[in-house]
Amino acid sequence: MPHPSLSRRALLQGGAGALLGAAMAPASASAWPGKPVRIVVTSAAGSPWDPMARHLADRLAQRYGQPFVVENRSGATGLIGMDLVAKTADGHTLGVMFMPHTVLPALHAKMPYDTRADLVPVAQTQWTYNVLVTRPDLGVASVQELVALARQRPGKLSYSSGGNGSPAHLMGEYLKQLTGTFILHVPYRGPVNALQDLVGERSDMMFASVAAAFPHVQSGRLRALAVTAAQPLDALPGVPTFAAAGMDRFDVRDWAGIVAPRSLPAKAVAPLNAAIVQALAEPGVPERFAGMGVYLHTGTPAAFGALIGAELPKWGSVVRQAGIRIE
């Protein structure tokens, strides 16, 4: 079941203006694409962003009559792949940007590209929600109880993540900053290993994707305290949002979308946005992705640009306060 507030109708609403010209997209951008287009996924094959990229590649190829080929370029939390996208001058390269890309400028003393100046927002594609989970034997049943315990035992509790600069790391630090608590960060080589050690009771808590945490919550091996969605999720009935749990300042949502280098012809952006909006609104598509813990959401290029623009200073502040640095 999809998130009730993210129906196909709502999805279409976000890009209604762009959809008005969807039927004429190939004609209005007849000069583009003039050759195959690659979609760079800035993470390894099998990552959470792969299914979206491959769905779009298939639909866009049908729409434009040119191959759209997915290429995985992983490394450095997406920095390597996005650097490739930003510097490609052929006008036929797209990239999948996700939330950690707006953290990278604060993590690295020297960035090889400028997120604002070198990349063109095309369309947001999704929200990917996370859930704060704990070991059941920790003895807390709510976020407020967890915060109270962390204040009673400063530095004694730990949270795991998929590595320095990962979404789970940033969310953990954000929670600490909002609550004035000291919880030890334990980074792992990827979120799978982090979640396994939490289930194995070698850490106390973690922000995990809903899809990854669901079977462990269902089996009782983990306890879900709150989700990072704006509304409760069907996948985790009875689990409150952070706002409902008394922490309305904890406004965090992982997201992804399509960006392009400045070499993409400006006249191709609006038709491409419309084609993406239409591909994500096809019957059954929102439901299929909701089953993977991905909730589709799109809109105009300007709306996606505004999201990126808001996320950059937000996560920059979190990184600076936490003293996180990756050289």
Side-chain angles (χ1 to χ4, degrees):
M1 290 291 291
H3 189 298
S5 67
L6 295 174
S7 64
R8 184 151 31 104
R9 184 181 195 181
L11 188 65
L12 284 166
Q13 216 171 24
L19 275 172
L20 291 175
M24 297 187 297
S28 62
S30 58
W32 189 92
K35 62 179 184 178
V37 178
R38 64 176 171 173
I39 303 177
V40 177
V41 179
T42 56
S43 57
S47 69
W49 301 279
D50 254 10
M52 176 63 64
R54 295 181 190 282
H55 171 76
L56 288 178
D58 177 67
R59 297 303 190 269
L60 294 176
Q62 292 178 29
R63 184 168 191 81
Y64 282 98
Q66 285 281 3
F68 279 69
V69 181
V70 174
E71 181 179 320
N72 293 90
R73 290 294 186 100
S74 62
T77 320
L79 180 67
I80 291 173
M82 196 54 68
D83 183 39
L84 171 67
V85 173
K87 293 176 179 176
T88 299
D90 67 359
H92 287 73
T93 296
L94 305 174
V96 177
M97 175 181 277
F98 39 86
M99 185 266 276
H101 285 106
T102 57
V103 182
L104 292 174
L107 287 174
H108 294 270
K110 293 182 179 180
M111 281 285 287
Y113 63 90
D114 188 312
T115 305
R116 291 178 184 267
D118 297 335
L119 296 167
V120 177
V122 177
Q124 185 181 350
T125 58
Q126 67 206 64
W127 298 115
T128 303
Y129 298 120
N130 289 270
V131 56
L132 177 59
V133 288
T134 66
R135 294 188 292 110
D137 64 349
L138 197 60
V140 297
S142 68
V143 175
Q144 297 297 348
E145 289 182 13
L146 176 64
V147 170
L149 182 63
R151 286 173 175 161
Q152 292 170 12
R153 301 169 59 186
K156 301 299 183 181
L157 301 183
S158 65
Y159 76 94
S160 53
S161 83
N164 288 321
S166 67
H169 182 197
L170 273 295
M171 291 178 195
E173 292 302 315
Y174 192 38
L175 179 67
K176 288 164 57 178
Q177 290 172 15
L178 290 179
T179 58
T181 53
F182 172 38
I183 305 170
L184 182 66
H185 173 227
V186 183
Y188 286 80
R189 289 184 177 272
V192 173
N193 294 332
L195 190 60
Q196 286 176 342
D197 261 20
L198 176 58
V199 172
E201 301 183 355
R202 285 178 285 276
S203 64
D204 297 312
M205 68 196 80
M206 178 183 178
F207 282 92
S209 72
V210 170
F214 175 76
H216 302 297
V217 173
Q218 193 174 44
S219 69
R221 287 175 291 182
L222 294 179
R223 176 174 290 167
L225 300 187
V227 295
T228 62
Q231 297 182 23
L233 300 178
D234 291 341
L236 294 172
V239 180
T241 65
F242 270 87
M247 291 195 61
D248 54 357
R249 292 175 60 202
F250 191 84
D251 180 21
V252 175
R253 289 182 289 181
D254 203 350
W255 50 265
I258 300 296
V259 296
R262 289 289 171 186
S263 59
L264 178 71
K267 66 181 181 180
V269 174
L272 180 56
N273 172 276
I276 291 171
V277 169
Q278 189 174 59
L280 299 186
E282 292 177 358
V285 172
E287 292 82 359
R288 177 159 61 87
F289 278 97
M292 306 176 197
V294 173
Y295 298 91
L296 304 187
H297 177 89
T298 192
T300 64
F304 187 33
L307 172 65
I308 295 170
E311 292 280 271
L312 284 164
K314 173 181 178 176
W315 292 115
S317 175
V318 172
V319 168
R320 285 190 296 274
Q321 287 187 51
I324 305 169
R325 206 70 181 171
I326 298 177
E327 300 297 341

